[in-house]
Amino acid sequence: MGGVWLRGGSDGRSRFQGGAGDRETRLGSAGKAGCYPAQPSPSTFPSGEASMERLLAQLCGSSAAWPLPLWEGDTTGHCFTQLVLSALPHALLAVLSACYLGTPRSPDYILPCSPGWRLRLAASFLLSVFPLLDLLPVALPPGAGPGPIGLEVLAGCVAAVAWISHSLALWVLAHSPHGHSRGPLALALVALLPAPALVLTVLWHCQRGTLLPPLLPGPMARLCLLILQLAALLAYALGWAAPGGPREPWAQEPLLPEDQEPEVAEDGESWLSRFSYAWLAPLLARGACGELRQPQDICRLPHRLQPTYLARVFQAHWQEGARLWRALYGAFGRCYLALGLLKLVGTMLGFSGPLLLSLLVGFLEEGQEPLSHGLLYALGLAGGAVLGAVLQNQYGYEVYKVTLQARGAVLNILYCKALQLGPSRPPTGEALNLLGTDSERLLNFAGSFHEAWGLPLQLAITLYLLYQQVGVAFVGGLILALLLVPVNKVIATRIMASNQEMLQHKDARVKLVTELLSGIRVIKFCGWEQALGARVEACRARELGRLRVIKYLDAACVYLWAALPVVISIVIFITYVLMGHQLTATKVFTALALVRMLILPLNNFPWVINGLLEAKVSLDRIQLFLDLPNHNPQAYYSPDCGRLGAQIKWLLCSDPPAEPSTVLELHGALFSWDPVGTSLETFISHLEVKKGMLVGIVGKVGCGKSSLLAAIAGELHRLRGHVAVRGLSKGFGLATQEPWIQFATIRDNILFGKTFDAQLYKEVLEACALNDDLSILPAGDQTEVGEKGVTLSGGQRARIALARAVYQEKELYLLDDPLAAVDADVANHLLHRCILGMLSYTTRLLCTHRTEYLERADAVLLMEAGRLIRAGPPSEILPLVQAVPKAWAENGQESDSATAQSVQNPEKTKEGLEEEQSTSGRLLQEESKKEGAVALHVYQAYWKAVGQGLALAILFSLLLMQATRNAADWWLSHWISQLKAENSSQEAQPSTSPASMGLFSPQLLLFSPGNLYIPVFPLPKAAPNGSSDIRFYLTVYATIAGVNSLCTLLRAVLFAAGTLQAAATLHRRLLHRVLMAPVTFFNATPTGRILNRFSSDVACADDSLPFILNILLANAAGLLGLLAVLGSGLPWLLLLLPPLSIMYYHVQRHYRASSRELRRLGSLTLSPLYSHLADTLAGLSVLRATGATYRFEEENLRLLELNQRCQFATSATMQWLDIRLQLMGAAVVSAIAGIALVQHQQGLANPGLVGLSLSYALSLTGLLSGLVSSFTQTEAMLVSVERLEEYTCDLPQEPQGQPLQLGTGWLTQGGVEFQDVVLAYRPGLPNALDGVTFCVQPGEKLGIVGRTGSGKSSLLLVLFRLLEPSSGRVLLDGVDTSQLELAQLRSQLAIIPQEPFLFSGTVRENLDPQGLHKDRALWQALKQCHLSEVVWMVSWVRGAGAYLLGRGSCCVWPGLSSQMPRSCVSMRPQQVWTRRQTSCSSRPSANALPTRQC
């Protein structure tokens, strides 16, 4: 058979040489046209240049002139088959298989492998053995061909190593979560790539007569092994196509069992797995199967991204008062700066493509260089593309990891700061903005900083290369670009100033929405939805006003830099021609390519600067928050001894108090709510409380009772004096006047993180009179209560808060009127069983207005105007306080049941609680999350929000902009083609036909930077242009460019206007829908979940979505223009689009399945962070008093870890997509370059065509990559619109009724009649009201009594139509309330809520939110409620409208807060008043006020 190989090689060689001779003849007859490059003789090469040819010829057994023949006879060359079709696929298989060797094994995977996996494993093992066996006939003499022994050994060893690696990878995958499926598709497809080489080799044997006599053992053995390899490959394919086995259980069993933790991301993976992101395969598989339903399904964070690790690293560089940026730099800055080197190398590699492309085209065109140079150029082009893609991808991935590290540190330090805040605290809405918006803007610095120096560097290199092409003519364009820098500076300054103002308006809006949601029940009772909604809309309008300025300035900035390349081109060409130079195709299109390379740095630089400026603004805001004074117990509970000597200071500043029997001591202590003492001060000259004492605190409303307890707890500013508390480290037992309840079960609220003690728990429930309440709740103490306890009555909330304090077993208890919200029987029970019972061994300070309960106190303190005026035994102090009128006490007291009802009644509670009775009392439902692709109606909703007319105008202007841009390129092509036509007689290439000089010929459409140094076609100096022709062509080109500039401006302005319109529409619809939602929705929905929509999702719709959507539209238009040019100039190149599109489609589809769910889970896990921070700020005093701050910090780290999981997985999957898209583009470029070399060897290469193909392949893959990336990011951003639309379309709404023409004063008498009213909170629940019938005549006063759950407050809910009755009617003056509009009904009713709520703003705004009354009426109402003196008492009063209130009336004493709603009620001349039992903080027994008013 060896002789056959020699004869075959000889025959092939003679024919090959004959073909070469024909080519030489054609070259001679055609003249030196350059159509086919002349092949240099090996003897003419220097020895160094011919080394690769000789090595390749020695390996293949061929001549140095043709070392790698493509064809040998009637089949492909065997050396080409073994090296290109066999060794390369096997090498790729080995590398790809190695990436899966680190796949984590499933610990619970005990099922045997399916038949398909076993068949693939067996085939892989055989395929690793067969190449080694195939070497035996080759090595034994006389050899079995068909190639030299070195080539056969190389190909066989590569194949054996590849299949061994693949066998190991298959074994690992079969015992991993992939074992439930067929495994990675890419791995199976690559495993089948060597099949063509085997088939071609079998064909070679058949053509060479291996099966004909005489049969030689060597060739026959090799042929049999080839057939066996093909059979094994076929078996492998069958094993993948038909896996067999128990497929149904696989389909039902999830990829991640519920009791199994997901894999750890990245840690322990090989470098190949890290570069290819193969470790993401389990996550992407779960996403493709739709099993990414909760954050726990996402892979766990690497060690260096764990929040606990980040907190430890950051705290090592953080100290109070430090600059945040310094601490971030110390913790993560060095690693981040080191990534700049990666950025630099990646930027340099970006220029390797154009330079190597130029050299490769020059090699093909000249034909004088050895083949080794061409191979080096092609390999350099492919290697540079691959290496550049990997480096850029890793840079982006590592930068985002540093960003996540900084994010984890910033969010954690923000929460820790919130736990340490002193009395001066920002509103909750502002803190939430810092957590959501400002932290994200601050972290944009990480992506912008390296771009800030990388883009100018790229710009400088591009300008230098431009100088090499057109000389000093580029200076004109450069001057124009530099003139725009100060303009850009002015725009950037305006943007930063507007951004600061916008954030302030955003803070005000979110703050107002937070307050609105907190007081939503009072708002609905009073019918203030429209008034307060208009106030939110006013804040939103101011915010949109600033956003409008920002968007239009951004549009101007983008327009200037987007239109700049076209203008620069005009200036450069005009200058070049006026300098006396001749325009040529090489000069024009190379200069155009370089000018287009300026688009990225010039277009992105404004965004980079804008990102840096936004980061600076947010950094200042966060720094301002971090610089707020801390709560410092060590300094607070130390005497003011700054002026004392060292000896006395040591004595007094040691462990207070001095006497062991003293628990609390205050001496000369002055406190205030603000650090400078401008608010009402509390002064205690001397107070000493012994261990075990019960101390009562009494006084008028606003006298400072609650302030005294807050001062003891450390919640006020100590201006001077001495505060000493024994056992400070053990904390206090604190029961505030406004109970703070978590959104959790009743048991969790009482335990509050302490270990469950059944006996103690039972005693606490009995002492706090909670057993009866728990017995009627759906799940007992496992019943979940609403946020802030809204599903409980006021008495229940107060007693649960008291039970929580008692269960903590502290030595000092601060009780702020816990008896106010309960009736006399329950109050008596709490006094004897709890305060005098379980707490008898502790020290207690009790504020109360019920002086009859202080008779057994050890001491009583009398407060007045913030001063302790008397202290002594009850017998001395209590007579000073006016006694309760007997008649009032016996007959007039508003009795309440053991659980006094609030505005939100137990029946309402029952509705909220029993609604989830099937889930063991669970009220809080998991936030709903859409699955699958973003629905079409979401796109339609955003389209409608923009406006159909405006949206169509945006698309038309975009297409017009792209069309004029392509028209400008076409005109330049036409200009140069006409120039070439005029000089065609003088050109050195007479073989070029006129047909090839069409408007879209390859030579004219070479817009690539591939001609940076070597022209594609050497053109001689043409005749000078005629001045009239130059003027004509330049005029037309400038006109087209001007039209393009106008279209660009029009598109930028229209897009800004459209996105602003969408932002306004989405927020307006969301606000309206939320305001119209029933109260039941707010009971079961945490405020943080709603605020997430109003904050993060609205911010995304305002800014992030328009930004990425703009990029998507630009990429789509650019791709359409590119395809139009390619289809006209080189239609054959479009044949590559179908397979390329299929590959891109499958990759992006696999990515999008996970990307959507990760984005949704990211938004889902952000809401608990918001809720947790808001909850913490609301209950901060309780957290500190009970020492629970550490536990809440741990909970914050847990919630942060879940959110960081989603953020990290989202970024990693994005990089997974990016590296695959980039490598696909590099593969296409490499394939075109390889084909070009093969054609060059055969004398068929057209350098212009090859250059055009390569340049446009680079552009096409880049555009497709950008299109897929921007589309997936747009889809991810549209999740925010989806979440807004979920509330806008799916929220239940209150039935509004129909407006009746009754006039404004239709309720003139005030008669109320219930007719057989039946109320069930939902079908299947027992009736809360069952056939209630009664009639109240006008002017009558009706009292309603009954036990908990009897239906007292249900009557009010039906009367105000907060709940609709199942049957029956309610008549007001004979009018059926169900026929009225809600606003029409509620505007004629008034209610005094049990829990007062005040909005931030002026007293006027709180008294009259709708602005219907004059100052005289407001002052009259204040006088009736005895508030006018208090308002005047504040030092900064300048009228009723000037007294500012803080969030939740933090600047107003609790007693005044309860009186303020009475003032509001007194402003309304309603005929029907309803009143729930209000807090006893304003009872006359303590403040001696008459009881007649209000």
Side-chain angles (χ1 to χ4, degrees):
M1 188 61 192
V4 174
W5 160 249
L6 292 177
R7 288 196 306 271
S10 175
D11 295 342
R13 193 67 201 148
S14 63
R15 288 194 297 273
F16 188 78
Q17 290 174 347
D22 293 341
R23 283 195 297 275
E24 292 173 1
T25 304
R26 289 196 297 272
L27 282 172
S29 63
K32 297 181 180 178
C35 292
Y36 297 95
Q39 299 299 326
S41 171
S43 61
T44 63
F45 294 156
S47 59
E49 296 179 352
S51 59
M52 179 174 291
E53 282 79 358
R54 288 198 300 268
L55 178 63
L56 195 58
Q58 184 178 1
L59 180 64
C60 296
S62 58
S63 67
W66 302 98
L68 188 64
L70 178 60
W71 291 96
E72 293 180 358
D74 298 331
T75 185
T76 58
H78 184 69
C79 187
F80 176 81
T81 301
Q82 291 290 71
L83 290 181
V84 177
L85 300 183
S86 178
L88 287 181
H90 278 118
L92 179 61
L93 177 63
V95 172
L96 189 60
S97 299
C99 294
Y100 289 95
L101 292 178
T103 303
R105 181 178 178 180
S106 296
D108 299 331
Y109 186 83
I110 57 176
L111 293 175
C113 294
S114 68
W117 280 101
R118 290 198 296 270
L119 183 59
R120 291 167 66 185
L121 281 168
S124 299
F125 175 76
L126 292 176
L127 286 169
S128 65
V129 174
F130 287 154
L132 298 178
L133 295 177
D134 190 48
L135 295 180
L136 294 177
V138 174
L140 296 176
I149 186 172
L151 176 65
E152 301 297 333
V153 170
L154 175 63
C157 290
V158 169
V161 170
W163 285 109
I164 290 174
S165 174
H166 189 65
S167 300
L168 295 175
L170 287 180
W171 188 89
V172 171
L173 291 172
H175 294 81
S176 74
H178 287 284
H180 296 280
S181 61
R182 292 184 174 94
L185 174 63
L187 195 62
L189 293 179
V190 172
L192 299 177
L193 287 181
L198 295 176
V199 173
L200 289 174
T201 308
V202 169
L203 289 177
W204 185 92
H205 280 283
C206 294
Q207 291 178 355
R208 294 302 185 270
T210 302
L211 297 176
L212 300 176
L215 299 177
L216 302 177
M220 281 298 299
R222 296 203 65 188
L223 180 59
C224 292
L225 288 173
L226 283 173
I227 295 174
L228 289 177
Q229 290 183 60
L230 283 173
L233 267 182
L234 180 61
Y236 183 95
L238 289 176
W240 180 85
R247 301 181 63 179
E248 292 185 1
W250 290 3
Q252 298 173 359
E253 183 180 357
L255 292 179
L256 184 66
E258 294 183 0
D259 57 345
Q260 179 183 335
E261 278 288 324
E263 65 282 352
V264 178
E266 192 181 47
D267 286 348
E269 297 289 339
S270 65
W271 62 273
L272 281 176
S273 178
R274 286 173 180 262
F275 284 163
S276 64
Y277 304 95
W279 53 269
L280 276 174
L283 174 68
L284 294 172
R286 290 196 293 272
C289 296
E291 295 184 7
L292 288 179
R293 301 187 181 95
Q294 55 184 352
Q296 288 77 10
D297 295 333
I298 300 174
C299 53
R300 287 175 288 169
L301 289 170
H303 172 68
R304 296 181 65 85
L305 289 180
Q306 290 288 342
T308 51
Y309 170 82
L310 298 177
R312 186 169 62 253
V313 171
F314 182 78
Q315 287 295 338
H317 298 84
W318 172 258
Q319 58 184 359
E320 195 60 36
R323 298 288 92 186
L324 177 61
W325 71 269
R326 290 183 181 273
L328 289 174
Y329 173 76
F332 316 111
R334 295 175 181 84
C335 177
Y336 175 71
L337 291 180
L339 293 176
L341 181 62
L342 204 61
K343 170 71 174 176
L344 178 62
V345 176
T347 302
M348 295 296 102
L349 282 175
F351 289 95
S352 67
L355 296 177
L356 289 171
L357 184 60
S358 172
L359 295 175
L360 179 60
V361 172
F363 164 80
L364 297 175
E365 200 249 328
E366 294 293 335
Q368 300 299 321
E369 297 183 70
L371 178 63
S372 59
H373 287 192
L375 289 175
L376 287 177
Y377 299 152
L379 291 176
L381 189 65
V386 172
L387 186 58
V390 171
L391 289 182
Q392 290 286 0
N393 179 268
Q394 285 297 308
Y395 165 76
Y397 176 62
E398 293 297 331
V399 163
Y400 195 79
K401 282 172 62 177
V402 175
T403 303
L404 279 182
Q405 288 180 323
R407 179 178 186 265
V410 169
L411 295 187
N412 183 63
I413 196 63
L414 284 175
Y415 185 80
C416 292
K417 180 65 180 183
L419 288 176
Q420 299 170 3
L421 283 175
S424 301
R425 301 169 192 166
T428 302
E430 183 177 333
L432 292 176
N433 269 348
L434 293 176
L435 185 73
T437 304
D438 289 291
S439 61
E440 297 298 329
R441 290 193 173 201
L442 171 63
L443 299 176
N444 287 338
F445 174 85
S448 301
F449 175 75
H450 284 312
E451 295 294 335
W453 62 261
L455 292 178
L457 175 65
Q458 185 175 349
L459 180 64
I461 297 176
T462 306
L463 289 175
Y464 172 75
L465 297 179
L466 191 60
Y467 169 75
Q468 296 293 322
Q469 290 295 318
V470 297
V472 295
F474 89 98
V475 175
L478 180 61
I479 292 175
L480 180 63
L482 293 178
L483 288 177
L484 288 181
V485 173
V487 177
N488 188 61
K489 175 66 171 57
V490 173
I491 293 177
T493 303
R494 289 289 306 279
I495 288 177
M496 185 174 68
S498 298
N499 189 45
Q500 289 177 323
E501 296 179 23
M502 185 194 70
L503 289 177
Q504 293 175 357
H505 296 314
K506 179 182 176 66
D507 286 344
R509 176 179 61 85
V510 176
K511 173 185 174 183
L512 186 56
V513 170
T514 305
E515 295 178 357
L516 188 148
L517 295 176
S518 300
I520 190 65
R521 292 153 193 84
V522 178
I523 293 172
K524 287 190 173 293
F525 270 121
C526 298
W528 290 340
E529 296 98 324
Q530 296 300 326
L532 294 174
R535 194 180 299 180
V536 175
E537 283 293 346
C539 291
R540 176 64 173 171
R542 290 190 290 271
E543 180 186 358
L544 286 178
R546 294 295 90 196
L547 182 64
R548 183 173 291 105
V549 173
I550 293 174
K551 289 297 181 183
Y552 284 131
L553 288 176
D554 279 342
C557 194
V558 170
Y559 160 71
L560 290 176
W561 293 104
L564 187 61
V566 178
V567 180
I568 289 178
S569 301
I570 296 175
V571 173
I572 289 177
F573 295 148
I574 292 178
T575 305
Y576 191 74
V577 171
L578 294 180
M579 291 175 62
H581 298 289
Q582 174 67 50
L583 284 177
T584 64
T586 302
K587 296 292 183 184
V588 167
F589 295 120
T590 302
L592 270 181
L594 289 172
V595 169
R596 292 183 180 209
M597 289 184 68
L598 298 176
I599 292 179
L600 179 64
L602 293 180
N603 205 18
N604 287 356
F605 199 69
W607 297 105
V608 170
I609 298 300
N610 189 37
L612 292 176
L613 294 177
E614 288 183 350
K616 177 63 169 59
V617 172
S618 294
L619 175 64
D620 293 340
R621 285 165 51 86
I622 294 176
Q623 188 68 56
L624 190 64
F625 176 77
L626 295 177
D627 289 340
L628 290 175
N630 276 355
H631 171 69
N632 189 350
Q634 289 75 20
Y636 187 87
Y637 295 103
S638 299
D640 188 7
C641 38
R643 298 182 180 180
L644 301 178
Q647 184 72 15
I648 301 177
K649 183 184 294 187
W650 181 86
L651 290 174
L652 293 180
C653 296
S654 57
D655 294 332
E659 296 186 12
S661 60
T662 301
V663 175
L664 173 66
E665 183 178 359
L666 288 83
H667 181 72
L670 181 63
F671 307 95
S672 176
W673 287 100
D674 59 81
V676 294
T678 56
S679 64
L680 184 66
E681 298 175 346
T682 301
F683 178 72
I684 307 298
S685 59
H686 181 75
L687 175 62
E688 185 175 345
V689 180
K690 301 293 184 180
K691 184 176 182 180
M693 290 182 64
L694 171 60
V695 179
I697 306 174
V698 296
K700 295 181 181 181
V701 172
C703 65
K705 301 183 298 298
S706 297
S707 298
L708 174 58
L709 296 185
I712 296 172
E715 296 301 321
L716 268 65
H717 293 279
R718 181 179 62 81
L719 303 182
R720 67 172 184 268
H722 171 62
V723 183
V725 178
R726 183 170 300 280
L728 187 62
S729 60
K730 298 179 182 179
F732 312 104
L734 180 62
T736 57
Q737 189 173 15
E738 296 182 3
W740 174 68
I741 304 296
Q742 290 183 275
F743 203 147
T745 65
I746 294 178
R747 174 179 288 190
D748 290 339
N749 270 283
I750 295 176
L751 298 183
F752 204 58
K754 189 177 179 182
T755 305
F756 178 72
D757 185 334
Q759 181 61 31
L760 175 62
Y761 184 72
K762 181 179 179 181
E763 294 175 359
V764 169
L765 292 182
E766 171 61 26
C768 296
L770 285 171
N771 286 322
D772 291 341
D773 300 89
L774 297 182
S775 64
I776 65 173
L777 292 176
D781 64 352
Q782 294 298 324
T783 301
E784 273 194 348
V785 298
E787 192 173 33
K788 299 180 182 178
V790 294
T791 57
L792 300 174
S793 68
Q796 288 171 334
R797 287 195 295 272
R799 284 177 288 125
I800 289 175
L802 180 61
R804 175 181 60 211
V806 173
Y807 191 83
Q808 303 307 310
E809 295 185 296
K810 305 296 182 180
E811 295 182 359
L812 175 61
Y813 280 86
L814 307 177
L815 309 176
D816 194 357
D817 212 356
L819 310 178
V822 297
D823 62 15
D825 293 336
V826 177
N828 188 65
H829 179 97
L830 294 177
L831 178 67
H832 291 88
R833 298 291 185 88
C834 182
I835 299 175
L836 299 177
M838 284 194 69
L839 301 182
S840 59
Y841 62 92
T842 65
T843 305
R844 294 139 291 164
L845 275 72
L846 172 64
C847 288
T848 182
H849 295 290
R850 297 187 175 186
T851 55
E852 67 272 19
Y853 295 135
L854 296 180
E855 295 177 355
R856 298 182 57 180
D858 298 298
V860 177
L861 310 179
L862 180 59
M863 301 291 295
E864 183 176 335
R867 300 293 189 269
L868 175 59
I869 60 174
R870 292 289 299 272
S875 58
E876 294 180 7
I877 304 301
L878 294 183
L880 301 177
V881 182
Q882 180 178 346
V884 180
K886 293 296 182 182
W888 183 86
E890 294 178 2
N891 303 322
Q893 180 169 335
E894 297 175 64
S895 168
D896 194 7
S897 65
T899 55
Q901 312 299 309
S902 69
V903 173
Q904 189 55 48
N905 61 322
E907 289 74 29
K908 182 68 179 70
T909 303
K910 209 169 183 181
E911 177 266 337
L913 297 174
E914 293 185 6
E915 186 174 353
E916 302 303 330
Q917 195 170 9
S918 60
T919 57
S920 302
R922 179 170 177 80
L923 175 67
L924 174 62
Q925 296 301 298
E926 296 294 336
E927 187 172 1
S928 61
K929 178 180 74 70
K930 304 291 185 182
E931 295 184 357
V934 175
L936 179 62
H937 72 84
V938 178
Y939 295 92
Q940 293 174 343
Y942 195 75
W943 176 277
K944 293 178 180 178
V946 173
Q948 294 189 8
L950 196 54
L952 290 174
I954 292 172
L955 292 181
F956 179 74
S957 62
L958 180 69
L959 294 177
L960 200 59
M961 180 192 71
Q962 187 61 43
T964 53
R965 182 173 298 172
N966 290 345
D969 297 337
W970 173 84
W971 183 254
L972 277 175
S973 302
H974 175 66
W975 181 2
I976 300 304
S977 66
Q978 295 300 316
L979 182 64
K980 285 182 63 67
E982 294 172 1
N983 301 320
S984 59
S985 59
Q986 302 178 20
E987 293 187 6
Q989 300 179 10
S991 65
T992 304
S993 65
S996 67
M997 300 306 298
L999 298 182
F1000 290 100
S1001 64
Q1003 294 88 341
L1004 302 180
L1005 285 178
L1006 191 55
F1007 297 174
S1008 121
N1011 303 333
L1012 301 182
Y1013 296 108
I1014 302 176
V1016 176
F1017 294 99
L1019 297 176
K1021 187 173 180 179
N1025 295 331
S1027 59
S1028 59
D1029 292 340
I1030 294 176
R1031 187 179 302 110
F1032 170 71
Y1033 285 116
L1034 285 179
T1035 301
V1036 174
Y1037 182 66
T1039 302
I1040 298 176
V1043 174
N1044 174 259
S1045 178
L1046 291 177
C1047 294
T1048 304
L1049 177 62
L1050 179 64
R1051 176 244 176 175
V1053 172
L1054 289 177
F1055 187 81
T1059 53
L1060 284 169
Q1061 177 67 27
T1065 302
L1066 292 174
H1067 181 272
R1068 182 173 60 252
R1069 294 173 58 197
L1070 172 68
L1071 178 64
H1072 174 76
R1073 194 77 179 190
V1074 169
L1075 287 177
M1076 294 297 106
V1079 179
T1080 52
F1081 165 74
F1082 300 98
N1083 292 341
T1085 306
T1087 301
R1089 187 178 297 176
I1090 306 175
L1091 284 178
N1092 195 7
R1093 261 81 172 180
F1094 280 98
S1095 181
S1096 292
D1097 291 322
V1098 168
C1100 181
D1102 287 351
D1103 188 29
S1104 303
L1105 176 60
F1107 176 77
I1108 198 67
L1109 181 61
N1110 196 11
I1111 297 176
L1112 172 64
L1113 293 177
N1115 283 334
L1119 181 62
L1120 287 176
L1122 190 80
L1123 293 179
V1125 173
L1126 273 179
S1128 302
L1130 285 175
W1132 68 268
L1133 200 58
L1134 297 179
L1135 297 177
L1136 289 178
L1137 288 182
L1140 191 64
S1141 301
I1142 293 174
M1143 294 173 65
Y1144 272 71
Y1145 172 76
H1146 284 290
V1147 168
Q1148 62 88 26
R1149 184 183 180 187
H1150 194 57
Y1151 161 75
R1152 286 172 53 213
S1154 299
S1155 173
R1156 289 189 302 264
E1157 305 309 317
L1158 291 174
R1159 172 69 181 179
R1160 288 166 176 154
L1161 288 174
S1163 297
L1164 218 64
T1165 53
L1166 198 58
S1167 296
L1169 277 174
Y1170 282 5
S1171 297
H1172 189 61
L1173 178 60
D1175 210 22
T1176 299
L1177 292 174
L1180 194 53
S1181 58
V1182 177
L1183 296 181
R1184 290 173 180 166
T1186 55
T1189 54
Y1190 178 76
R1191 180 169 62 86
F1192 269 64
E1193 188 175 346
E1194 291 293 317
E1195 175 67 11
N1196 180 71
L1197 287 176
R1198 186 188 69 83
L1199 296 174
L1200 179 59
E1201 193 268 342
L1202 291 178
N1203 184 253
Q1204 291 278 85
R1205 274 194 193 188
C1206 301
Q1207 300 291 339
F1208 172 72
T1210 301
S1211 171
T1213 51
M1214 191 177 299
Q1215 300 301 327
W1216 177 92
L1217 171 71
D1218 176 74
I1219 189 63
R1220 278 153 179 77
L1221 295 181
Q1222 293 294 336
L1223 290 179
M1224 285 181 187
V1228 171
V1229 173
S1230 304
I1232 295 178
I1235 293 173
L1237 289 179
V1238 172
Q1239 289 183 341
H1240 176 70
Q1241 284 295 98
Q1242 301 298 318
L1244 302 175
N1246 187 326
L1249 201 59
V1250 171
L1252 179 65
S1253 303
L1254 286 172
S1255 61
Y1256 269 79
L1258 287 171
S1259 302
L1260 181 62
T1261 52
L1263 269 178
L1264 284 176
S1265 175
L1267 183 64
V1268 172
S1269 300
S1270 58
F1271 177 73
T1272 50
Q1273 291 183 55
T1274 301
E1275 189 179 43
M1277 295 298 175
L1278 278 170
V1279 172
S1280 292
V1281 179
E1282 178 186 66
R1283 286 163 54 82
L1284 296 177
E1285 281 297 300
E1286 178 189 359
Y1287 271 25
T1288 302
C1289 301
D1290 300 340
L1291 278 192
Q1293 298 289 280
E1294 291 181 313
Q1296 298 298 311
Q1298 298 297 325
L1300 299 180
Q1301 302 299 326
L1302 300 176
T1304 56
W1306 62 271
L1307 187 59
T1308 58
Q1309 301 298 320
V1312 180
E1313 184 178 358
F1314 276 58
Q1315 296 180 353
D1316 295 324
V1317 174
V1318 177
L1319 175 66
Y1321 288 105
R1322 69 178 178 88
L1325 292 180
N1327 292 334
L1329 296 177
D1330 195 359
V1332 175
T1333 301
F1334 66 87
C1335 181
V1336 182
Q1337 298 300 323
E1340 287 188 349
K1341 297 178 177 60
L1342 179 68
I1344 304 174
V1345 296
R1347 295 289 298 174
T1348 298
S1350 61
K1352 302 184 300 297
S1353 294
S1354 296
L1355 294 175
L1356 300 183
L1357 297 181
V1358 172
L1359 178 62
F1360 282 82
R1361 284 184 60 195
L1362 265 69
L1363 291 175
E1364 297 292 330
S1366 305
S1367 63
R1369 297 192 307 166
V1370 178
L1371 304 179
L1372 292 179
D1373 279 358
V1375 179
D1376 189 351
T1377 58
S1378 63
Q1379 303 301 318
L1380 298 171
E1381 275 191 330
L1382 289 180
Q1384 194 176 21
L1385 169 66
R1386 293 171 183 172
S1387 65
Q1388 299 299 312
L1389 303 178
I1391 186 171
I1392 300 177
Q1394 182 181 15
E1395 290 189 350
F1397 186 85
L1398 302 181
F1399 293 93
S1400 298
T1402 64
V1403 171
R1404 164 180 282 280
E1405 291 171 347
N1406 277 274
L1407 290 179
D1408 187 20
Q1410 296 173 304
L1412 302 178
H1413 302 280
K1414 297 182 179 180
D1415 283 357
R1416 179 176 298 179
L1418 298 180
W1419 281 111
Q1420 183 63 30
L1422 289 173
K1423 289 178 181 178
Q1424 290 178 353
C1425 295
H1426 298 270
L1427 286 174
S1428 58
E1429 295 180 1
V1430 177
V1431 173
W1432 280 109
M1433 183 177 62
V1434 182
S1435 59
W1436 56 81
V1437 171
R1438 295 189 182 92
Y1443 177 36
L1444 295 179
L1445 299 174
R1447 163 71 171 87
S1449 67
C1450 66
C1451 297
V1452 182
W1453 304 285
L1456 301 183
S1457 301
S1458 65
Q1459 287 182 262
M1460 191 70 72
R1462 305 187 188 190
S1463 305
C1464 302
V1465 169
S1466 66
M1467 300 300 305
R1468 307 176 70 172
Q1470 282 77 7
Q1471 301 299 322
V1472 179
W1473 283 12
T1474 59
R1475 174 181 174 180
R1476 291 300 310 134
Q1477 175 177 333
T1478 56
S1479 172
C1480 296
S1481 59
S1482 59
R1483 289 192 175 178
S1485 60
N1487 55 25
L1489 294 179
T1491 63
R1492 179 177 56 83
Q1493 286 86 349
C1494 302

